[in-house]
Amino acid sequence: MTLLRTPWLLALALALSTILALSLGHYPLHWGTLMHELGTGQFRDDSWVLLQLRLPRVLAAMVIGAALASAGAAYQGMFRNPLVSPDILGVAAGAGLGAVLAIFLSLSLIWVQLFAFIGGLAAVWMVYSLAKLAKRHEAVLVLVLAGVALSALLGAAIALFKLLADPYNQLPSITFWLMGGLNATSLNDLLWVLPFLLLALIPLWQLRWRINLLALSDDEAHTLGLNVPRTRLWLILSATLMTACATAISGIIGWVGLIIPHIARLIVGPEFSRLLPASLLLGAVFLLLCDTLARSLASIELPLGVVTAFIGAPFFIFLLLSGGRP
């Protein structure tokens, strides 16, 4: 597969996945009837299902998958570690605690999303602040260790709220939110997160050449003229904002930001100017297909985070056993 053809093939895969996702579901769409309804402006069953239910969900899956995969690619490049995922600095745990707190307080969905968004950003801010205080140790190592410690602490707080929650009303909502899903996502949700996602994507693209230098040691990168702390800060801000936005409207969805950059790296190589768009498109395709499976495999809708784990974990093991070098 040549590099020149790769973006077009990935775009074609995304288009085919979109058509498949719009077509499949428990309610069959009759495309002839649908075209007639859309052409005449008489919106009935088929057009209502397409415009009000499936289209917002398909768009949400593409946007969230692209955001998580892009954030994962940025974090893996920054930490020089292909095992890093977007929640390495505690953003998922912070968002989870924020959402759980809002549900525990019986707040509306918009407040749950807002609390999750603020919680994710606050968790990473705490990790970064702790890392700055520990000046005697290597910066990347301190960030990782602080993220692990804070994630464990926030996870304990989530467990405490689950213990105290009403087992009939609050606990099921908390459980399903933590497993991730797009069943409650609307176009309004996308409209409020999309500007933040685009804002976060701009620094990643502007810094695409400098991110390649982070594969070197800090001293070597500094010798080549790179301001390592400033570049790392911009990457953390951008990747965290993308992850917090995605998690706020979908819940915790794992594995996307871990395995998709692996696959993209196997296809286009580690150079970030090619890796970022490849990860973005592959992430959209992957989560779109996973969401289609989640709502089509069984009579009940499966949690999206469970589906991504069932697909992502075996594939990751396959990559390790096959000797693929991400």
Side-chain angles (χ1 to χ4, degrees), residues 3-322:
L3 292 178
L4 292 177
R5 294 179 181 177
T6 299
W8 298 105
L9 292 176
L10 293 178
L12 178 60
L14 180 59
L16 294 176
S17 301
T18 301
I19 295 173
L20 181 67
L22 291 174
S23 303
L24 294 181
H26 292 298
Y27 182 88
L29 289 180
H30 305 284
W31 287 96
T33 304
L34 177 62
M35 293 298 104
H36 175 74
E37 292 178 5
L38 294 176
T40 59
Q42 298 177 352
F43 301 109
R44 296 178 182 174
D45 291 343
D46 288 60
S47 55
W48 187 88
V49 169
L50 177 69
L51 297 177
Q52 299 296 323
L53 296 180
R54 289 193 188 167
L55 184 59
R57 185 159 182 164
V58 164
L59 293 175
M62 289 191 293
V63 169
I64 293 170
L68 292 176
S70 301
Y75 272 131
Q76 289 177 10
M78 181 181 69
F79 287 106
R80 303 189 289 269
N81 190 335
L83 297 179
V84 167
S85 63
D87 56 356
I88 186 67
L89 299 184
V91 60
L97 180 59
V100 168
L101 178 61
I103 296 173
F104 185 79
L105 297 175
S106 301
L107 301 179
S108 61
L109 178 60
I110 185 63
W111 284 104
V112 173
Q113 295 173 343
L114 184 60
F115 271 48
F117 177 71
I118 296 174
L121 295 180
V124 176
W125 175 79
M126 291 176 63
V127 168
Y128 188 78
S129 299
L130 290 173
K132 290 197 69 175
L133 293 176
K135 297 180 180 179
R136 296 183 179 180
H137 303 280
E138 204 272 326
V140 172
L141 177 62
V142 173
L143 279 171
V144 173
L145 294 179
V148 171
L150 187 65
S151 294
L153 180 62
L154 297 178
I158 290 173
L160 179 61
F161 276 112
K162 291 173 69 174
L163 179 65
L164 298 175
D166 179 5
Y168 299 103
N169 296 316
Q170 296 174 337
L171 185 58
S173 298
I174 290 173
T175 302
F176 280 108
W177 194 94
L178 292 175
M179 289 191 292
L182 300 175
N183 54 305
T185 306
S186 65
L187 281 177
N188 289 332
D189 297 332
L190 288 179
L191 290 177
W192 80 260
V193 301
L194 198 56
F196 292 103
L197 292 176
L198 294 175
L199 182 65
L201 187 61
I202 292 174
L204 294 184
W205 183 249
Q206 293 293 328
L207 296 172
R208 61 192 183 278
W209 305 112
R210 300 179 186 180
I211 293 174
N212 294 322
L213 297 179
L214 291 178
L216 306 172
S217 67
D218 288 1
D219 291 337
E220 290 175 315
H222 181 73
T223 303
L224 293 174
L226 180 66
N227 188 326
V228 176
R230 181 182 299 175
T231 303
R232 190 173 287 137
L233 175 61
W234 274 109
L235 286 183
I236 290 175
L237 290 174
S238 299
T240 298
L241 184 58
M242 298 180 82
T243 307
C245 288
T247 306
I249 64 174
S250 68
I252 299 177
I253 299 177
W255 290 98
V256 180
L258 177 60
I259 66 169
I260 295 303
H262 274 270
I263 301 172
R265 208 173 286 112
L266 291 173
I267 296 174
V268 301
E271 209 282 314
F272 198 77
S273 65
R274 298 193 299 264
L275 180 63
L276 179 61
S279 298
L280 189 147
L281 291 172
L282 277 173
V285 171
F286 176 74
L287 198 62
L288 188 55
L289 293 177
C290 287
D291 184 61
T292 303
L293 291 175
R295 58 183 173 82
S296 304
L297 277 179
S299 57
I300 61 172
E301 182 173 327
L302 301 176
L304 185 54
V306 173
V307 176
T308 58
F310 270 119
I311 296 176
F315 187 81
F316 189 71
I317 294 174
F318 167 75
L319 282 179
L320 293 178
L321 297 179
S322 63

